[in-house]
Amino acid sequence: KEKKRMFQPQDSLSAFIDRLQAGGAYIFSKGEAANALGKNPEALQKALERLRGKRRVVRVRRDFFAVVPLEYQSRGAPPAEWYIDALMNRENRPYYVGLLSASRYHGAAHQQPQELQVVVGKQMRPLRVSGSRIRFIQKVRFASDKDIVSIKTETGYMRISAPELTAIDLVHYSASIGGLSTIVTILAELSERIGARELLQAAKRENAFASARRLGVILDRMGFSDR
């Protein structure tokens, strides 16, 4: 009986999760856990359900789960920024964090957005992970890597749009994020980080001249001058 208690599936899964977290990884698939632990699907599913009940893990998407560190157990999940890069890489989906979410990282948002806004090449359903929401915005013509920067997060790195692309996207998708009135204040602050030449180059790469012209009009009214 004692031996059975030492090798219960949830204990083995707990050790697996502890090793992930110790290595700075916060997302895993059911398949990865099964391969690492040698557990049959039924036993693994029961172990996952137990740990979900204890708020040690949370399901993110399909068979992907996120590790919930102690400091986020009351919330039910770590911030989406901790695992979005790993999730998108494992699903082999190009992405970048953009719009209002990217604006915040460029110092141009007065309050934290209620959702993480992620731009993708193919349509994806939004995700709600405990109290957080990830919204995917489809973009047929996906951005050049020249307009995307990597920033460091608590668990690694995350791709976000550069200030120029962020501004173009804000105008282009303004109708779906609250209208122009919502983004005017953000653009006023973001303009401090925008270079006119870089903006033109980004517009060419994006083939987004209509949005760039609208952005130019808005910035001109704010007193933005060429640099």
Side-chain angles (χ1 to χ4, degrees):
K1 291 183 179 179
E2 185 64 29
K3 188 175 182 180
K4 284 186 177 181
R5 283 198 295 271
M6 289 176 62
F7 293 95
Q8 286 179 357
Q10 67 268 28
D11 293 335
S12 297
L13 182 60
S14 294
F16 170 75
I17 289 170
D18 289 343
R19 288 195 299 272
L20 283 180
Q21 186 175 349
Y26 283 81
I27 196 166
F28 65 95
S29 70
K30 187 185 292 186
E32 290 168 346
N35 290 337
L37 301 174
K39 298 296 180 185
N40 65 61
E42 183 179 354
L44 181 61
Q45 183 62 35
K46 289 181 179 179
L48 284 167
E49 291 302 322
R50 289 189 185 97
L51 292 185
R52 287 179 69 183
K54 295 178 180 179
R55 292 194 170 190
R56 187 68 180 96
V57 299
V58 62
R59 193 169 80 90
V60 175
R61 174 177 164 84
R62 295 175 183 163
D63 288 339
F64 287 100
F65 294 81
V67 178
V68 183
L70 180 62
E71 63 268 31
Y72 284 99
Q73 285 184 358
S74 60
R75 176 176 166 177
E81 291 88 342
W82 284 31
Y83 56 80
I84 188 64
D85 187 73
L87 175 65
M88 301 306 284
N89 287 338
R90 287 165 190 248
E91 294 209 349
N92 195 28
R93 289 180 180 267
Y95 85 98
Y96 63 89
V97 172
L99 301 166
L100 299 177
S101 298
S103 299
R104 180 170 68 90
Y105 285 98
H106 292 306
H110 293 288
Q111 58 185 13
Q112 186 166 336
Q114 298 299 310
E115 59 187 15
L116 185 69
Q117 296 171 348
V118 181
V119 180
V120 292
K122 294 183 179 180
Q123 188 173 8
M124 293 179 65
R125 299 170 71 90
L127 299 178
R128 186 172 293 279
V129 184
S130 190
S132 65
R133 175 182 166 90
I134 304 174
R135 179 183 175 190
F136 296 101
I137 297 93
Q138 183 183 9
K139 190 174 198 177
V140 176
R141 184 184 176 92
F142 203 71
S144 165
D145 280 345
K146 294 180 179 179
D147 301 313
I148 299 172
V149 296
S150 291
I151 64 169
K152 189 167 178 56
T153 67
E154 293 287 339
T155 59
Y157 290 88
M158 179 176 70
R159 289 160 55 87
I160 73 168
S161 52
E164 293 78 18
L165 177 58
T166 301
I168 292 171
D169 281 349
L170 284 170
V171 172
H172 183 75
Y173 294 102
S174 60
S176 64
I177 55 174
L180 286 175
S181 59
T182 301
I183 66 171
V184 165
T185 302
I186 294 172
L187 288 174
E189 296 184 356
L190 193 61
S191 66
E192 299 176 2
R193 293 174 173 257
I194 295 174
R197 181 179 301 175
E198 290 80 4
L199 181 61
L200 178 60
Q201 291 173 343
K204 288 180 178 178
R205 287 189 288 266
E206 288 285 296
N207 194 25
F209 293 105
S211 296
R213 281 194 293 270
R214 291 181 67 196
L215 174 61
V217 171
I218 295 171
L219 293 178
D220 283 344
R221 291 176 179 175
M222 294 177 181
F224 176 76
S225 58
D226 291 352
R227 298 170 193 171

